[in-house]
Amino acid sequence: MTEPTTSLADQVVVVMGGSAGIGLETARLARAAGARVIITGRDRERLEKAAVEVGAESALTVNLDDSADVERLFGELPEQLDHLLIGGSGPFYAPLAELDLEEAERFINQHLVGSLRIARLCVGRVRAGGSLTFISGTGARRPGVGLMLAAIGTAAQSAIVANAAVEIAPIRVNTVAAGFVDTPLSARLLGDQLEERRAQLRATLPIARVVGPEDVAALVVHLMTNTALTGATYDVDGGQQLIPG
């Protein structure tokens, strides 16, 4: 029987999207737990700054939209990996009548085909009992105008991890579905409406505060260390789904 532990001592943790938000906080917590942390992202300057901030072992650039570049990245990673986190690039909102189908195809390729690509690349690279964790969302579970692509991505991600957990076992595969999280991405999306949204959430969420990236990161690290968890979707939304729409 494997004894539970909160330590990641000397384990290799790869955080894709590790230069900001949830990814950065996950890298920070993993490093504090003793992991050898590797962060990836698109922006070299932001990556190098984040690597210094969290004490990452290395920072590697990658374009997750480019299958060849993702394969190139895996060729540069250590031969054996323990855990990977695949951060989300944000939701896709557009009413059907205004939907740009080329943008929709890019979104589906990155979020769905991209998830399959990474799961397959983990075979033979992530040790038995290691983990692969994706970041998804909860915001599009209720139907609404403009939510179709986000809803498809949310539903499909849960199906991917459930099936991958069986197909690539004993690697463990999970997804963390976040509601609103107070990150730089949220700030860019909301602009001058950010403070209003924060105030609304503090007044309505059962937890009476806004969810931060450290809340999500704590769950991601728990999924890395708890070897009984696989094939599931875990919500971190402060009870947002309990509020009548």
Side-chain angles (χ1 to χ4, degrees):
M1 178 177 177
T2 303
E3 292 296 325
T5 177
T6 58
S7 174
L8 291 170
D10 298 321
Q11 296 183 38
V12 177
V13 173
V14 180
V15 180
M16 294 189 178
S19 63
I22 295 168
L24 181 62
E25 288 304 317
T26 300
R28 193 191 318 277
L29 285 182
R31 184 71 191 94
R36 297 168 52 201
V37 174
I38 299 169
I39 61 174
T40 81
R42 294 184 186 229
D43 189 306
R44 165 58 60 187
E45 184 177 346
R46 285 175 56 189
L47 271 176
E48 290 180 349
K49 180 180 178 182
V52 172
E53 182 179 338
V54 302
E57 184 173 286
S58 61
L60 304 172
T61 57
V62 65
N63 178 2
L64 292 179
D65 295 332
D66 185 333
S67 60
D69 203 37
V70 174
E71 294 198 20
R72 186 270 311 163
L73 170 71
F74 269 75
E76 296 179 7
L77 293 174
E79 192 63 31
Q80 179 173 292
L81 309 172
D82 294 283
H83 307 283
L84 284 87
L85 169 68
I86 315 302
S89 61
F92 185 107
Y93 298 132
L96 183 59
E98 303 171 12
L99 187 64
D100 183 319
L101 293 179
E102 289 187 2
E103 288 188 19
E105 287 177 2
R106 282 195 292 271
F107 176 85
I108 289 172
N109 182 65
Q110 178 180 340
H111 285 259
L112 307 186
V113 180
S115 295
L116 299 177
R117 181 181 299 118
I118 289 170
R120 188 165 66 177
L121 287 168
C122 286
V123 176
R125 299 294 301 281
V126 176
R127 66 165 172 83
S131 70
L132 170 60
T133 305
F134 294 95
I135 298 294
S136 181
T138 63
R141 289 183 180 167
R142 294 172 180 167
V145 175
L147 299 181
M148 186 176 293
L149 262 293
I152 289 169
T154 296
Q157 193 68 64
S158 292
I160 288 170
V161 300
N163 284 275
V166 174
E167 290 211 27
I168 69 172
I171 299 169
R172 298 179 297 105
V173 190
N174 294 291
T175 190
V176 172
F180 177 90
V181 183
D182 203 347
T183 64
L185 174 60
S186 297
R188 288 197 301 274
L189 291 173
L190 289 174
D192 58 10
Q193 298 178 331
L194 178 62
E195 286 302 328
E196 180 183 351
R197 182 61 170 147
R198 287 169 172 164
Q200 178 192 41
L201 290 168
R202 283 192 290 266
T204 58
L205 287 181
I207 63 171
R209 67 175 179 86
V210 180
V211 175
E214 62 280 359
D215 297 308
V216 184
L219 176 56
V220 174
V221 171
H222 178 69
L223 293 175
M224 292 177 183
T225 59
N226 189 329
T227 58
L229 304 179
T230 193
T233 296
Y234 298 87
D235 293 355
V236 184
D237 69 352
Q240 191 173 342
Q241 295 175 90
L242 306 177
I243 303 169

Short mmCIF file of all heavy atoms in Angstrom, two decimals, residues 54-99:
data_model
loop_
_atom_site.label_atom_id
_atom_site.label_comp_id
_atom_site.label_asym_id
_atom_site.label_seq_id
_atom_site.Cartn_x
_atom_site.Cartn_y
_atom_site.Cartn_z
N VAL A 54 10.25 31.59 -8.89
CA VAL A 54 9.85 30.35 -8.19
C VAL A 54 11.00 29.37 -8.00
O VAL A 54 10.82 28.33 -7.37
CB VAL A 54 8.69 29.65 -8.92
CG1 VAL A 54 7.49 30.56 -9.04
CG2 VAL A 54 9.12 29.13 -10.29
N GLY A 55 12.17 29.69 -8.54
CA GLY A 55 13.29 28.77 -8.42
C GLY A 55 13.17 27.56 -9.33
O GLY A 55 13.58 26.44 -8.96
N ALA A 56 12.63 27.76 -10.54
CA ALA A 56 12.48 26.66 -11.48
C ALA A 56 13.84 26.20 -12.00
O ALA A 56 14.77 26.99 -12.13
CB ALA A 56 11.60 27.08 -12.65
N GLU A 57 13.92 24.92 -12.31
CA GLU A 57 15.16 24.34 -12.85
C GLU A 57 15.43 24.84 -14.26
O GLU A 57 16.58 25.07 -14.64
CB GLU A 57 15.04 22.82 -12.83
CG GLU A 57 16.28 22.09 -13.27
CD GLU A 57 16.16 20.60 -13.06
OE1 GLU A 57 16.24 20.15 -11.89
OE2 GLU A 57 15.97 19.89 -14.06
N SER A 58 14.37 25.00 -15.05
CA SER A 58 14.53 25.52 -16.40
C SER A 58 13.21 26.10 -16.89
O SER A 58 12.14 25.83 -16.33
CB SER A 58 15.03 24.44 -17.36
OG SER A 58 14.11 23.37 -17.44
N ALA A 59 13.29 26.90 -17.96
CA ALA A 59 12.12 27.52 -18.57
C ALA A 59 12.23 27.32 -20.08
O ALA A 59 13.22 27.74 -20.69
CB ALA A 59 12.05 29.00 -18.23
N LEU A 60 11.24 26.65 -20.68
CA LEU A 60 11.29 26.30 -22.09
C LEU A 60 10.09 26.90 -22.83
O LEU A 60 8.95 26.79 -22.36
CB LEU A 60 11.27 24.78 -22.25
CG LEU A 60 12.37 24.00 -21.50
CD1 LEU A 60 12.10 22.50 -21.60
CD2 LEU A 60 13.73 24.34 -22.08
N THR A 61 10.34 27.50 -23.97
CA THR A 61 9.26 28.05 -24.76
C THR A 61 8.58 26.96 -25.58
O THR A 61 9.23 26.02 -26.03
CB THR A 61 9.76 29.16 -25.71
OG1 THR A 61 10.78 28.63 -26.56
CG2 THR A 61 10.29 30.34 -24.93
N VAL A 62 7.27 27.12 -25.79
CA VAL A 62 6.52 26.18 -26.62
C VAL A 62 5.24 26.85 -27.09
O VAL A 62 4.64 27.65 -26.37
CB VAL A 62 6.19 24.87 -25.86
CG1 VAL A 62 5.24 25.13 -24.70
CG2 VAL A 62 5.61 23.82 -26.79
N ASN A 63 4.82 26.51 -28.29
CA ASN A 63 3.54 26.93 -28.84
C ASN A 63 2.63 25.70 -28.84
O ASN A 63 2.80 24.81 -29.67
CB ASN A 63 3.72 27.49 -30.25
CG ASN A 63 2.39 27.91 -30.87
OD1 ASN A 63 1.33 27.81 -30.24
ND2 ASN A 63 2.45 28.36 -32.11
N LEU A 64 1.69 25.66 -27.93
CA LEU A 64 0.84 24.47 -27.80
C LEU A 64 -0.10 24.27 -29.00
O LEU A 64 -0.70 23.21 -29.15
CB LEU A 64 0.02 24.54 -26.51
CG LEU A 64 0.82 24.43 -25.21
CD1 LEU A 64 -0.10 24.54 -24.01
CD2 LEU A 64 1.61 23.13 -25.15
N ASP A 65 -0.22 25.31 -29.85
CA ASP A 65 -1.02 25.16 -31.06
C ASP A 65 -0.27 24.43 -32.16
O ASP A 65 -0.87 24.03 -33.17
CB ASP A 65 -1.43 26.54 -31.60
CG ASP A 65 -2.36 27.27 -30.65
OD1 ASP A 65 -3.09 26.59 -29.91
OD2 ASP A 65 -2.37 28.52 -30.66
N ASP A 66 1.02 24.26 -31.99
CA ASP A 66 1.89 23.68 -33.02
C ASP A 66 2.32 22.28 -32.59
O ASP A 66 3.12 22.13 -31.66
CB ASP A 66 3.10 24.60 -33.21
CG ASP A 66 4.02 24.17 -34.34
OD1 ASP A 66 4.07 22.96 -34.65
OD2 ASP A 66 4.72 25.03 -34.88
N SER A 67 1.81 21.26 -33.25
CA SER A 67 2.09 19.88 -32.84
C SER A 67 3.58 19.56 -32.90
O SER A 67 4.12 18.88 -32.02
CB SER A 67 1.31 18.90 -33.70
OG SER A 67 1.65 19.03 -35.07
N ALA A 68 4.27 20.07 -33.92
CA ALA A 68 5.71 19.81 -34.04
C ALA A 68 6.47 20.46 -32.89
O ALA A 68 7.44 19.90 -32.38
CB ALA A 68 6.22 20.32 -35.38
N ASP A 69 6.02 21.64 -32.48
CA ASP A 69 6.71 22.33 -31.39
C ASP A 69 6.48 21.61 -30.06
O ASP A 69 7.38 21.55 -29.22
CB ASP A 69 6.22 23.78 -31.30
CG ASP A 69 7.24 24.68 -30.61
OD1 ASP A 69 8.46 24.48 -30.82
OD2 ASP A 69 6.82 25.58 -29.86
N VAL A 70 5.29 21.05 -29.87
CA VAL A 70 5.02 20.28 -28.65
C VAL A 70 5.92 19.04 -28.61
O VAL A 70 6.50 18.71 -27.57
CB VAL A 70 3.54 19.88 -28.57
CG1 VAL A 70 3.30 18.96 -27.37
CG2 VAL A 70 2.66 21.12 -28.45
N GLU A 71 6.06 18.37 -29.73
CA GLU A 71 6.93 17.20 -29.78
C GLU A 71 8.39 17.59 -29.57
O GLU A 71 9.14 16.86 -28.90
CB GLU A 71 6.75 16.47 -31.11
CG GLU A 71 5.35 15.87 -31.24
CD GLU A 71 5.27 14.81 -32.31
OE1 GLU A 71 6.32 14.26 -32.70
OE2 GLU A 71 4.14 14.52 -32.75
N ARG A 72 8.78 18.73 -30.11
CA ARG A 72 10.13 19.24 -29.87
C ARG A 72 10.36 19.48 -28.38
O ARG A 72 11.40 19.13 -27.83
CB ARG A 72 10.32 20.53 -30.68
CG ARG A 72 11.72 21.14 -30.66
CD ARG A 72 11.95 22.14 -29.52
NE ARG A 72 10.89 23.11 -29.44
CZ ARG A 72 10.67 23.86 -28.37
NH1 ARG A 72 11.42 23.72 -27.27
NH2 ARG A 72 9.68 24.74 -28.35
N LEU A 73 9.36 20.06 -27.71
CA LEU A 73 9.47 20.31 -26.27
C LEU A 73 9.69 19.01 -25.51
O LEU A 73 10.58 18.93 -24.65
CB LEU A 73 8.21 21.00 -25.76
CG LEU A 73 8.10 21.09 -24.23
CD1 LEU A 73 9.11 22.09 -23.68
CD2 LEU A 73 6.68 21.44 -23.80
N PHE A 74 8.90 17.99 -25.79
CA PHE A 74 9.03 16.72 -25.07
C PHE A 74 10.42 16.11 -25.30
O PHE A 74 10.95 15.43 -24.42
CB PHE A 74 7.93 15.75 -25.48
CG PHE A 74 6.71 15.84 -24.61
CD1 PHE A 74 5.83 16.90 -24.76
CD2 PHE A 74 6.46 14.89 -23.63
CE1 PHE A 74 4.70 17.01 -23.95
CE2 PHE A 74 5.35 14.99 -22.82
CZ PHE A 74 4.45 16.05 -22.97
N GLY A 75 11.01 16.39 -26.46
CA GLY A 75 12.36 15.91 -26.70
C GLY A 75 13.40 16.61 -25.85
O GLY A 75 14.49 16.07 -25.63
N GLU A 76 13.07 17.80 -25.33
CA GLU A 76 14.00 18.56 -24.50
C GLU A 76 13.79 18.33 -23.01
O GLU A 76 14.61 18.76 -22.19
CB GLU A 76 13.88 20.07 -24.80
CG GLU A 76 14.28 20.43 -26.22
CD GLU A 76 14.14 21.91 -26.50
OE1 GLU A 76 13.85 22.68 -25.56
OE2 GLU A 76 14.32 22.32 -27.67
N LEU A 77 12.70 17.68 -22.65
CA LEU A 77 12.41 17.42 -21.24
C LEU A 77 13.23 16.23 -20.75
O LEU A 77 13.70 15.41 -21.55
CB LEU A 77 10.92 17.12 -21.05
CG LEU A 77 9.95 18.29 -21.32
CD1 LEU A 77 8.51 17.79 -21.24
CD2 LEU A 77 10.19 19.43 -20.33
N PRO A 78 13.41 16.09 -19.43
CA PRO A 78 14.11 14.92 -18.88
C PRO A 78 13.44 13.62 -19.35
O PRO A 78 12.24 13.59 -19.63
CB PRO A 78 13.97 15.11 -17.37
CG PRO A 78 13.83 16.58 -17.18
CD PRO A 78 13.05 17.06 -18.37
N GLU A 79 14.20 12.57 -19.40
CA GLU A 79 13.70 11.29 -19.92
C GLU A 79 12.53 10.76 -19.11
O GLU A 79 11.58 10.21 -19.64
CB GLU A 79 14.83 10.25 -19.94
CG GLU A 79 14.49 8.99 -20.72
CD GLU A 79 14.22 9.26 -22.19
OE1 GLU A 79 14.82 10.19 -22.76
OE2 GLU A 79 13.40 8.51 -22.77
N GLN A 80 12.61 10.90 -17.77
CA GLN A 80 11.49 10.47 -16.93
C GLN A 80 10.88 11.67 -16.24
O GLN A 80 11.58 12.47 -15.62
CB GLN A 80 11.91 9.44 -15.89
CG GLN A 80 10.73 9.02 -14.99
CD GLN A 80 11.06 7.87 -14.06
OE1 GLN A 80 11.27 6.75 -14.48
NE2 GLN A 80 11.08 8.17 -12.76
N LEU A 81 9.57 11.76 -16.34
CA LEU A 81 8.81 12.84 -15.71
C LEU A 81 7.92 12.26 -14.63
O LEU A 81 7.51 11.10 -14.71
CB LEU A 81 7.97 13.56 -16.76
CG LEU A 81 8.70 14.02 -18.03
CD1 LEU A 81 7.71 14.54 -19.06
CD2 LEU A 81 9.74 15.08 -17.68
N ASP A 82 7.61 13.07 -13.64
CA ASP A 82 6.71 12.62 -12.57
C ASP A 82 5.31 13.21 -12.70
O ASP A 82 4.32 12.50 -12.54
CB ASP A 82 7.30 12.98 -11.20
CG ASP A 82 8.58 12.22 -10.93
OD1 ASP A 82 8.49 11.03 -10.59
OD2 ASP A 82 9.67 12.81 -11.07
N HIS A 83 5.22 14.51 -13.00
CA HIS A 83 3.91 15.16 -13.06
C HIS A 83 3.92 16.27 -14.10
O HIS A 83 4.92 16.97 -14.26
CB HIS A 83 3.54 15.77 -11.70
CG HIS A 83 3.64 14.80 -10.55
ND1 HIS A 83 2.69 13.83 -10.31
CD2 HIS A 83 4.59 14.66 -9.60
CE1 HIS A 83 3.05 13.13 -9.24
NE2 HIS A 83 4.21 13.60 -8.80
N LEU A 84 2.79 16.43 -14.79
CA LEU A 84 2.60 17.53 -15.72
C LEU A 84 1.29 18.24 -15.41
O LEU A 84 0.27 17.59 -15.13
CB LEU A 84 2.54 17.05 -17.17
CG LEU A 84 3.85 16.65 -17.84
CD1 LEU A 84 4.18 15.20 -17.56
CD2 LEU A 84 3.77 16.88 -19.34
N LEU A 85 1.32 19.56 -15.48
CA LEU A 85 0.11 20.37 -15.45
C LEU A 85 0.02 21.08 -16.78
O LEU A 85 0.98 21.72 -17.23
CB LEU A 85 0.15 21.40 -14.32
CG LEU A 85 -0.97 22.45 -14.39
CD1 LEU A 85 -2.33 21.81 -14.13
CD2 LEU A 85 -0.72 23.61 -13.43
N ILE A 86 -1.15 21.00 -17.43
CA ILE A 86 -1.39 21.68 -18.68
C ILE A 86 -2.38 22.81 -18.39
O ILE A 86 -3.57 22.59 -18.17
CB ILE A 86 -1.98 20.75 -19.76
CG1 ILE A 86 -1.22 19.42 -19.79
CG2 ILE A 86 -1.96 21.44 -21.11
CD1 ILE A 86 0.27 19.55 -20.03
N GLY A 87 -1.88 24.04 -18.36
CA GLY A 87 -2.72 25.19 -18.04
C GLY A 87 -3.66 25.53 -19.18
O GLY A 87 -3.41 25.22 -20.34
N GLY A 88 -4.77 26.18 -18.84
CA GLY A 88 -5.73 26.60 -19.86
C GLY A 88 -5.34 27.95 -20.44
O GLY A 88 -4.72 28.78 -19.78
N SER A 89 -5.73 28.17 -21.69
CA SER A 89 -5.42 29.45 -22.36
C SER A 89 -6.58 30.42 -22.29
O SER A 89 -6.53 31.49 -22.89
CB SER A 89 -5.06 29.19 -23.83
OG SER A 89 -6.15 28.60 -24.51
N GLY A 90 -7.64 30.05 -21.58
CA GLY A 90 -8.79 30.93 -21.46
C GLY A 90 -9.98 30.44 -22.27
O GLY A 90 -9.84 29.64 -23.19
N PRO A 91 -11.18 30.95 -21.95
CA PRO A 91 -12.40 30.50 -22.61
C PRO A 91 -12.56 31.14 -23.99
O PRO A 91 -11.88 32.09 -24.34
CB PRO A 91 -13.50 30.98 -21.66
CG PRO A 91 -12.91 32.21 -21.02
CD PRO A 91 -11.44 31.93 -20.88
N PHE A 92 -13.48 30.59 -24.75
CA PHE A 92 -13.82 31.10 -26.09
C PHE A 92 -15.30 31.44 -26.07
O PHE A 92 -16.14 30.55 -25.96
CB PHE A 92 -13.51 30.03 -27.14
CG PHE A 92 -13.72 30.48 -28.56
CD1 PHE A 92 -12.64 30.74 -29.38
CD2 PHE A 92 -15.00 30.64 -29.08
CE1 PHE A 92 -12.82 31.14 -30.70
CE2 PHE A 92 -15.20 31.05 -30.39
CZ PHE A 92 -14.11 31.30 -31.20
N TYR A 93 -15.64 32.71 -26.14
CA TYR A 93 -17.04 33.14 -26.12
C TYR A 93 -17.40 33.81 -27.44
O TYR A 93 -16.71 34.74 -27.88
CB TYR A 93 -17.27 34.15 -24.99
CG TYR A 93 -16.99 33.61 -23.60
CD1 TYR A 93 -16.22 34.33 -22.70
CD2 TYR A 93 -17.53 32.40 -23.19
CE1 TYR A 93 -15.98 33.85 -21.42
CE2 TYR A 93 -17.29 31.90 -21.91
CZ TYR A 93 -16.51 32.64 -21.02
OH TYR A 93 -16.27 32.16 -19.78
N ALA A 94 -18.47 33.35 -28.06
CA ALA A 94 -18.98 33.98 -29.29
C ALA A 94 -20.35 33.41 -29.61
O ALA A 94 -20.53 32.18 -29.61
CB ALA A 94 -18.03 33.73 -30.46
N PRO A 95 -21.35 34.26 -29.89
CA PRO A 95 -22.65 33.76 -30.33
C PRO A 95 -22.51 33.00 -31.64
O PRO A 95 -21.64 33.33 -32.47
CB PRO A 95 -23.47 35.04 -30.53
CG PRO A 95 -22.76 36.09 -29.75
CD PRO A 95 -21.31 35.73 -29.78
N LEU A 96 -23.35 31.99 -31.85
CA LEU A 96 -23.25 31.16 -33.04
C LEU A 96 -23.31 31.99 -34.32
O LEU A 96 -22.57 31.73 -35.28
CB LEU A 96 -24.36 30.11 -33.03
CG LEU A 96 -24.36 29.10 -34.19
CD1 LEU A 96 -23.06 28.31 -34.22
CD2 LEU A 96 -25.56 28.17 -34.06
N ALA A 97 -24.16 32.98 -34.35
CA ALA A 97 -24.32 33.79 -35.56
C ALA A 97 -23.07 34.59 -35.91
O ALA A 97 -22.86 34.97 -37.06
CB ALA A 97 -25.50 34.75 -35.41
N GLU A 98 -22.22 34.82 -34.91
CA GLU A 98 -21.00 35.62 -35.11
C GLU A 98 -19.74 34.77 -35.03
O GLU A 98 -18.62 35.30 -35.04
CB GLU A 98 -20.93 36.73 -34.07
CG GLU A 98 -22.14 37.65 -34.08
CD GLU A 98 -22.15 38.60 -32.89
OE1 GLU A 98 -21.11 38.69 -32.19
OE2 GLU A 98 -23.19 39.23 -32.65
N LEU A 99 -19.90 33.46 -34.97
CA LEU A 99 -18.78 32.56 -34.73
C LEU A 99 -17.82 32.53 -35.93
O LEU A 99 -18.24 32.27 -37.06
CB LEU A 99 -19.30 31.16 -34.44
CG LEU A 99 -18.28 30.10 -34.00
CD1 LEU A 99 -17.67 30.48 -32.68
CD2 LEU A 99 -18.97 28.74 -33.90
#
